[in-house]
């Protein structure tokens, strides 16, 4: 037999006269590496540590302390959890159990609704599975045999998954009497997992395959770490995240509410939340006007004919709210708008345009409607009605790069002003050529527009990741991403280059040669969806907004009723200068009033007693820094006005 060459990441090549497992190769390099090896990447594919190498390959050994090793560790933890569930609930049927960034979950079909006490019982059973140190074995089974066995077990979700596999063989992993359909890889045995490093976190409902027409399953979330101290640290972080969760904190601070009577995904902004959004909206609209944007106001709905022209009817209809019955021949069918671009393009087409008119920058504070499924909606982040800082730039080809840069500059300025520039990152979202239904089928135009966008992004020296299959149906886009306090990633802002809709709407301008030409369109938001941005800011600042954004910027606290008149005098002077200020003249003790103001996250507390009233001063208490001492009223007034004007973070 010829020698087997194993090429390592550093370029070195190991030669073996007989087949070796990944584990054996690791031990041949060093005992420590051999002990820590839990898998390998063979020619780009992850495999188990006992995978047998029989041909020349490139190998990257996965150790237990690596990112890939942690993923394998948690994948095995997921199987241990499913094993424990089926021991305790023999009739439970397994769906899928992948790893996620912070742990793992498993979707399970079972009659029982699990409580926190039940999760503790499952954890205890998991500990038993770990203590048994069951060997984990991979089995390759003919597809037809696998189907037969899963049908006999009543595992209908596994049957559905197997039916979609195109290979003749499918892989299963077995530990004791437990067996599960899985690609792997896994740890060598259940004993590799630290039973003191596992925690089941919570349960949630999850439709099979995310389709609300399918059965609702129970999703059990968990996490696992090699060391108990790492788990404790993570759980503390989770507690902090719960404190910052906008869905909880936003209600506690009286910013928004929801009502079953109003409907799911339709939050109600209360006066304080509405004030923050109003401040953001005025800030954005004023800044856009400075940069040459023209505001439009367009209808919340339109005939389906408009959306047939734009392509939304073909590519986006399932996400739209339809008014009227399409099956009735004489009935006019309308739809609530999912975006404003078709309306603004109609305005553009209302008269002949010259090359001298371009660029035209339209902006609109647009209320939009999208038919999100009930399982997707969350607080203010994913809703059915929302308001967005929408804009469309109609540009000549020679203006595309400069105008795109201008959009990025605007977004950078707004994100920096909000204090969240360091919390976001960029994703270049491209089309998927194989998905003919999702995208307009024009490969040449897609390649051209994606190349143009990539060149612009590279010239801007943006640090971005690429994502196939995330583009809009009419063009590639730059997505600006963030994570909420629970680690869930969402898009807050998009910038898109559109090659399709100018053609569909027959948008033209007259060039220097007196010939009609087709413009490019840049779709963009500058702050994104106001509701989602509010959620992000609540979590970023734990509800303690910068002074310029705080619903109440200062509260005056009279020590006794004798200072009430002076307290209102202070309030009136500040209010006249545009400061949002209140007076707490309740009969409570001063300490209580201060605690209440702290709970409400008010930036400044102005304490006025007999001396302050007599001398025209205020004693300042800062939300973060505490007691700042007594100052002349005018000094404080100047301080807070400068802070508001400069939008100090």
């Amino acid at each position: 037999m010829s020698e087997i060459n194993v090429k390592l990441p550093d370029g070195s090549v190991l030669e073996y006269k007989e087949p070796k497992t990944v584990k054996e190769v690791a031990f041949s390099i060093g005992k420590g590496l051999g002990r820590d090896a839990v898998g390998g990447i063979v020619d780009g594919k992850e495999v188990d540590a006992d995978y047998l190498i029989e041909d020349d390959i490139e190998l990257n050994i996965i150790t237990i302390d690596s990112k890939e090793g942690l993923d394998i560790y948690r994948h095995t933890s997921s199987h241990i959890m499913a094993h424990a569930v089926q021991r305790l609930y023999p009739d439970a049927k397994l769906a899928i159990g992948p790893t996620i960034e912070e742990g793992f979950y498993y979707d399970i079909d079972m009659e029982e609704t699990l409580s926190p006490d039940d999760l503790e019982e499952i954890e205890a059973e998991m500990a038993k599975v770990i203590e048994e140190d069951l060997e984990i074995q991979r089995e390759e089974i003919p597809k037809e045999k696998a189907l037969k066995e899963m049908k006999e077990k009543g595992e209908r979700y596994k049957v559905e998954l197997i039916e979609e596999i195109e290979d003749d063989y499918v892989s299963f992993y077995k530990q004791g009497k437990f067996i599960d359909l899985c690609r792997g890889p896994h740890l060598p045995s259940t004993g590799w997992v630290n039973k003191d490093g596992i925690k089941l976190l919570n349960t949630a409902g999850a439709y099979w395959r995310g389709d609300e027409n399918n059965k609702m399953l129970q999703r059990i979330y968990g996490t696992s770490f090699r060391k108990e101290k790492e788990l404790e640290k993570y759980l503390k972080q989770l507690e902090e995240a719960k404190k910052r969760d906008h869905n909880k904190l936003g209600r506690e601070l009286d910013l928004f509410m929801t009502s079953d009577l109003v409907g799911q995904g339709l939050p109600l902004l209360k006066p304080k939340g509405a004030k923050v959004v109003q401040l953001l909206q005025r800030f954005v609209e004023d800044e856009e006007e400075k940069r040459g944007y023209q505001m439009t106001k367009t209808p919340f709905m339109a005939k389906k004919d408009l959306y047939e022209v734009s392509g939304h009817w073909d590519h986006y209809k399932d996400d739209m709210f339809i008014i009227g019955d399409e099956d009735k021949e004489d009935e006019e069918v309308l739809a609530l708008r999912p975006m404003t671009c078709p309306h603004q393009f109609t305005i553009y087409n209302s008269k002949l345009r010259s090359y001298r008119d371009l660029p035209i920058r339209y902006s609109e504070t647009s209320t939009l409607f999208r038919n999100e499924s009930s399982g997707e909606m969350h607080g203010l982040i994913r809703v059915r009605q929302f308001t967005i800082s929408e804009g469309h730039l109609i540009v000549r080809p020679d203006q595309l790069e400069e105008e795109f840069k201008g959009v990025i500059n605007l977004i950078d300025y707004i994100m920096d002003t909000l204090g969240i520039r360091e919390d976001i990152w960029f994703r270049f979202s491209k089309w998927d050529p194989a998905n003919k239904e999702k995208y307009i089928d024009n490969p040449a135009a897609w390649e051209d527009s994606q190349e143009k966008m990539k060149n612009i992004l590279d010239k801007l020296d943006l640090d971005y990741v690429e994502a196939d299959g995330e583009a809009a149906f009419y063009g590639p886009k730059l997505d600006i991403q963030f994570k909420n306090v629970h680690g869930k990633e969402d898009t807050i802002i998009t910038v898109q280059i559109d090659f399709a809709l100018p053609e569909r709407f027959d948008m033209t301008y007259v060039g220097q040669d007196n010939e009609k030409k087709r413009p490019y369109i840049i779709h963009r938001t500058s702050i994104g969806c106001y509701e989602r941005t509010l959620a992000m800011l609540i979590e970023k600042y734990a509800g303690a907004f910068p002074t310029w954004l705080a619903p109440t910027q200062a509260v005056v606290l009279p020590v006794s009723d004798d200072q009430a008149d002076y307290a209102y005098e202070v309030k009136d002077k500040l209010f006249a200068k545009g400061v949002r200020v209140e007076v707490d003249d309740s009969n409570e003790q001063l300490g209580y009033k201060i605690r209440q103001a702290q709970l409400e996250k008010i930036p400044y507390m102005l304490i006025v007693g007999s001396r302050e009233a007599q001398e025209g001063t205020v004693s300042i208490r800062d939300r973060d820094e505490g007691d700042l001492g007594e100052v002349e009223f005018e000094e404080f007034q100047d301080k807070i006005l400068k802070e508001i004007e400069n939008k100090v973070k």
Side-chain angles (χ1 to χ4, degrees):
M1 181 179 179
S2 60
E3 288 186 337
I4 298 169
N5 296 312
V6 176
K7 186 177 180 181
L8 301 177
D10 64 0
S12 61
V13 177
L14 303 177
E15 297 177 351
Y16 300 97
K17 293 182 179 179
E18 57 186 21
K20 296 283 185 182
T21 65
V22 170
K23 191 83 167 174
E24 288 170 337
V25 171
F27 267 113
S28 74
I29 297 171
K31 289 182 179 178
L33 184 63
R35 284 194 300 269
D36 290 343
V38 292
I41 302 175
V42 173
D43 293 335
K45 179 185 177 183
E46 286 195 4
V47 299
D48 295 300
D50 63 358
Y51 176 85
L52 191 63
I53 300 168
E54 300 179 281
D55 300 299
D56 294 350
I57 54 107
E58 291 186 8
L59 172 65
N60 186 358
I61 294 168
I62 298 174
T63 57
I64 188 70
D65 57 355
S66 67
K67 182 176 182 294
E68 295 84 0
L70 180 59
D71 192 67
I72 292 172
Y73 186 91
R74 286 174 170 167
H75 197 173
T76 299
S77 302
S78 173
H79 275 222
I80 290 171
M81 180 179 74
H83 190 168
V85 169
Q86 287 204 321
R87 278 184 174 181
L88 296 170
Y89 305 93
D91 294 331
K93 305 303 176 188
L94 304 179
I96 56 171
T99 58
I100 51 180
E101 187 169 350
E102 300 293 342
F104 56 87
Y105 70 78
Y106 218 117
D107 288 345
I108 302 175
D109 186 356
M110 54 195 301
E111 292 298 322
E112 296 82 359
T113 300
L114 297 174
S115 67
D117 289 341
D118 294 327
L119 294 186
E120 289 184 9
E121 188 179 4
I122 295 169
E123 282 180 11
E125 193 64 36
M126 290 173 70
K128 293 177 184 177
V129 175
I130 292 168
E131 288 168 351
E132 291 165 16
D133 194 19
L134 302 170
E135 183 183 2
I136 300 175
Q137 301 170 302
R138 179 185 174 94
E139 295 183 2
E140 298 278 347
I141 302 176
K143 180 178 176 179
E144 292 306 315
K145 182 182 178 184
L147 276 172
K148 183 172 181 278
E149 290 183 3
M150 288 297 105
K151 285 178 180 177
E152 288 173 354
K153 288 176 174 284
E155 296 282 3
R156 70 180 189 89
Y157 303 101
K158 302 298 181 183
V159 169
E160 189 174 326
L161 293 170
I162 294 169
E163 286 174 340
E164 295 172 358
I165 296 173
E166 296 180 359
D167 298 333
D168 293 332
Y169 284 80
V170 293
S171 59
F172 284 80
Y173 279 80
K174 184 178 181 181
Q175 54 195 48
K177 294 182 179 180
F178 176 79
I179 187 167
D180 197 2
L181 174 72
C182 187
R183 285 184 302 224
H186 279 279
L187 298 174
S189 72
T190 61
W192 275 67
V193 175
N194 178 7
K195 63 182 173 55
D196 296 320
I198 281 184
K199 182 66 179 175
L200 299 187
L201 302 170
N202 61 282
T203 61
Y207 291 110
W208 169 234
R209 297 197 149 175
D211 186 341
E212 60 186 356
N213 296 313
N214 290 335
K215 186 172 183 179
M216 176 76 80
L217 308 177
Q218 282 195 79
R219 176 170 293 179
I220 307 174
Y221 285 99
T223 193
S224 59
F225 293 87
R226 290 182 62 211
K227 297 178 180 177
E228 188 176 0
K229 285 184 179 180
E230 291 175 341
L231 174 64
E232 290 172 357
K233 181 181 176 182
Y234 175 72
L235 293 177
K236 286 179 182 177
Q237 290 173 347
L238 273 189
E239 285 303 311
E240 180 61 26
K242 287 178 183 177
K243 293 176 187 175
R244 289 175 174 263
D245 185 342
H246 85 276
N247 216 358
K248 176 177 180 289
L249 190 54
R251 297 169 198 269
E252 291 174 356
L253 293 175
D254 215 26
L255 296 168
F256 77 96
M257 62 173 286
T258 54
S259 165
D260 290 339
L261 192 61
V262 174
Q264 193 176 12
L266 299 169
L268 301 157
L269 293 186
K270 302 174 86 170
K272 289 182 179 180
K275 174 52 70 176
V276 178
V277 169
Q278 182 190 54
L279 292 164
L280 292 171
Q281 183 177 320
R282 286 174 174 173
F283 163 56
V284 170
E285 289 179 351
D286 288 348
E287 187 59 35
E288 288 177 339
E289 187 172 359
K290 290 176 189 174
R291 295 176 186 240
Y293 283 84
Q294 304 173 57
M295 183 181 287
T296 65
K297 290 290 182 185
T298 57
F300 284 12
M301 66 183 75
K303 292 164 59 178
K304 78 168 185 176
D305 309 52
L306 180 71
Y307 301 117
E308 286 176 333
V309 173
S310 69
H312 288 95
W313 205 256
D314 291 333
H315 297 278
Y316 209 79
K317 181 182 172 184
D318 289 344
D319 295 311
M320 295 167 67
F321 288 102
I322 312 299
I323 304 170
D325 189 345
E326 288 183 81
D327 296 329
K328 292 183 179 178
E329 191 173 331
D330 298 328
E331 184 169 335
E332 183 176 61
V333 177
L334 301 161
L336 296 177
R337 63 182 184 186
M339 56 271 296
T340 306
C341 42
H343 300 73
Q344 290 191 334
F345 300 161
T346 304
I347 291 174
Y348 177 87
N349 280 342
S350 65
K351 64 181 182 180
L352 191 65
R353 308 287 180 171
S354 162
Y355 71 94
R356 293 189 183 92
D357 298 325
L358 274 52
I360 290 176
R361 307 182 189 102
Y362 289 136
S363 66
E364 182 164 338
T365 303
S366 308
T367 298
L368 305 178
F369 306 86
R370 297 189 186 167
N371 192 9
E372 298 279 4
S373 64
S374 59
E376 292 294 317
M377 287 180 286
H378 172 65
L380 297 175
I381 289 177
R382 200 166 285 276
V383 293
R384 284 177 169 159
Q385 176 185 306
F386 55 94
T387 302
I388 194 169
S389 59
E390 198 164 12
H392 300 91
L393 294 81
I394 298 97
V395 305
R396 302 192 308 262
D398 62 292
Q399 297 170 326
L400 180 64
E401 183 174 327
E402 194 61 30
E403 290 299 312
F404 196 99
K405 288 179 180 176
V407 168
I408 300 301
N409 180 267
L410 170 62
I411 292 168
D412 264 343
Y413 172 71
I414 289 174
M415 295 297 102
D416 188 56
T417 302
L418 295 180
I420 55 178
R421 181 63 182 82
E422 300 305 314
D423 302 309
I424 60 173
W425 67 97
F426 300 95
R427 183 180 75 187
F428 176 27
S429 296
K430 304 187 293 185
W431 80 314
D432 177 4
N435 195 334
K436 303 294 185 184
E437 292 184 4
K438 184 177 178 182
Y439 299 107
I440 288 174
D441 189 14
N442 188 338
W446 274 104
E447 293 305 319
D448 178 64
S449 57
Q450 288 186 169
E451 182 181 0
K452 283 182 168 62
M453 181 175 275
K454 181 170 174 50
N455 288 337
I456 294 170
L457 297 180
D458 291 341
K459 283 184 180 180
L460 286 168
D461 199 27
L462 283 184
D463 185 15
Y464 62 87
V465 296
E466 297 189 16
D468 293 328
E470 295 292 338
F473 73 82
Y474 47 75
K477 60 192 175 96
L478 177 69
D479 291 323
I480 296 176
Q481 305 294 106
F482 88 107
K483 286 183 181 178
N484 68 17
V485 290
H486 301 293
K488 172 74 166 58
E489 181 177 335
D490 265 304
T491 301
I492 56 167
I493 292 174
T494 62
V495 184
Q496 303 154 15
I497 293 178
D498 180 2
F499 63 84
L501 297 192
E503 185 82 32
R504 296 179 77 101
F505 278 91
D506 193 25
M507 297 169 70
T508 61
Y509 66 92
V510 178
Q512 285 181 286
D513 57 3
N514 270 343
E515 295 292 324
K516 284 190 174 182
K517 301 183 184 299
R518 196 74 72 194
Y520 274 98
I521 292 172
I522 300 173
H523 300 244
R524 47 106 285 195
T525 56
S526 52
I527 198 173
C529 163
Y530 284 100
E531 289 84 355
R532 188 172 290 183
T533 301
L534 175 58
M536 181 174 59
L537 291 173
I538 292 170
E539 296 186 349
K540 165 72 177 178
Y541 293 108
F545 297 111
T547 303
W548 74 276
L549 267 181
T552 303
Q553 295 165 321
V555 59
V556 189
L557 307 177
V559 175
S560 69
D561 289 343
D562 294 340
Q563 291 85 47
D565 289 344
Y566 179 63
Y568 278 99
E569 183 183 327
V570 169
K571 177 199 170 184
D572 291 344
K573 287 179 181 178
L574 289 171
F575 185 79
K577 294 290 185 179
V579 179
R580 295 183 294 281
V581 57
E582 298 174 355
V583 173
D584 182 353
D585 59 358
S586 64
N587 292 323
E588 302 292 346
Q589 294 292 319
L590 180 61
Y592 177 88
K593 293 180 183 181
I594 290 172
R595 286 193 297 276
Q596 192 61 34
Q598 287 283 165
L599 288 173
E600 294 178 19
K601 315 281 188 180
I602 297 172
Y604 291 106
M605 289 148 268
L606 306 181
I607 299 165
V608 293
S610 57
R611 187 178 65 220
E612 287 86 359
Q614 188 174 1
E615 298 178 3
T617 60
V618 291
S619 290
I620 308 172
R621 186 173 183 84
D622 183 280
R623 174 181 60 195
D624 301 314
E625 298 177 23
D627 187 7
L628 299 183
E630 184 180 351
V631 300
E632 296 291 333
F633 167 74
E634 288 75 14
E635 184 181 336
F636 171 75
Q637 180 174 269
D638 290 344
K639 170 184 169 63
I640 194 170
L641 290 177
K642 285 178 183 175
E643 199 170 316
I644 294 167
E645 181 183 359
N646 296 326
K647 296 182 171 60
V648 175
K649 294 182 277 294

